[in-house]
Amino acid sequence: MPELPEVEAARRALSPVMDGARFTAVLARRPDLRIPFPRDFISRLVGETVRAVERRGKYLLATLSSGETLIMHLGMSGSIRVTPGSSEAAAGPHDHVVFQMSSGATITFNDPRRFGFMTLIERHARHATLSRLGLEPLGTDFDAAALARACRGKKTSLKVALLDQRVVAGLGNIYASEALHRAHLSPRRKASTIASRAGAPRDSALRLTRAIKKVLNEAIARRANSNDRFRVYDREGARCRARGCTGMITRIVQAGRSTFFCPVCQR
DNA sequence: AACAAGACCTGCATGC
DNA sequence: TGCATGCAGGTCTTGT
């Protein structure tokens, strides 16, 4: 499920019950998530106070008073439940981690496919993937010039480049397709074509940055991922929703993943 | 170095 | 009904 908007929604749910709160109990019910828990995961958490819950791309980061950071990733099917009061009895299938906080809340991490994980690190820079994440699409330094720079010289398709977390952090398979449609750019274009030879942003880069922000902000504002709101994702064979366009949404496979686009209005 | 393909794991929809 | 197949919103590793 989770791309940046869903992760941001999780952050906003966690922040009020975690910020300034202490871990009073930690339950790791199933040890074999994508990354195994570090040794002493529980003892390093219990008693610690959360300074803040932040998000970087699709990663949730809870900084602790000890200086360590709790990293949470929802993978493909992960979700986080926040319930008031102690509700250990409610732990169900695929509830892998349960936090009891001094704020009174119970936080439950559920993940059927177990592509998600939780771990503890001493410093952000120490985490290989985290330290290599690309532009934060809702951050202040995300603009056409930065995106063009990140795509310069890239021979992959635009869609595959947008999926690469080292280019833009947080876009996933749905919103990469949605942003490209909104920008009227073909997912098959070479990524480097949004920059001039010298690396300056073309008009397409400007349209794409605006489209990415718009698509993500709208999704955050509306919270739920209801399919009928998508312009292209999972709409193969349906009519293009772009103003004045009579095209039909097409599905292709790029880097092993479905891409949906309109071949008429996306060039 | 950059890219494609396969791997990880479970659940759901489809078709026979 | 049962069973097989293919697909899913993410990343990591392996091989070219």
Side-chain angles (χ1 to χ4, degrees), chain A residues 156-159 180 185-191 250 252 254 261 263:
Chain A
T156 6
S157 67
L158 208 41
K159 163 77 178 336
L180 286 168
L185 293 171
S186 169
R188 294 199 263 226
R189 269 171 82 125
K190 246 195 337 182
T250 303
I252 59 174
Q254 296 178 290
F261 76 112

Side-chain angles (χ1 to χ4, degrees), chain A residues 127-141:
Chain A
H127 188 86
T129 304
L130 212 48
S131 62
R132 277 173 220 149
L133 284 181
L135 297 161
E136 187 62 43
L138 300 183
T140 49
D141 53 352

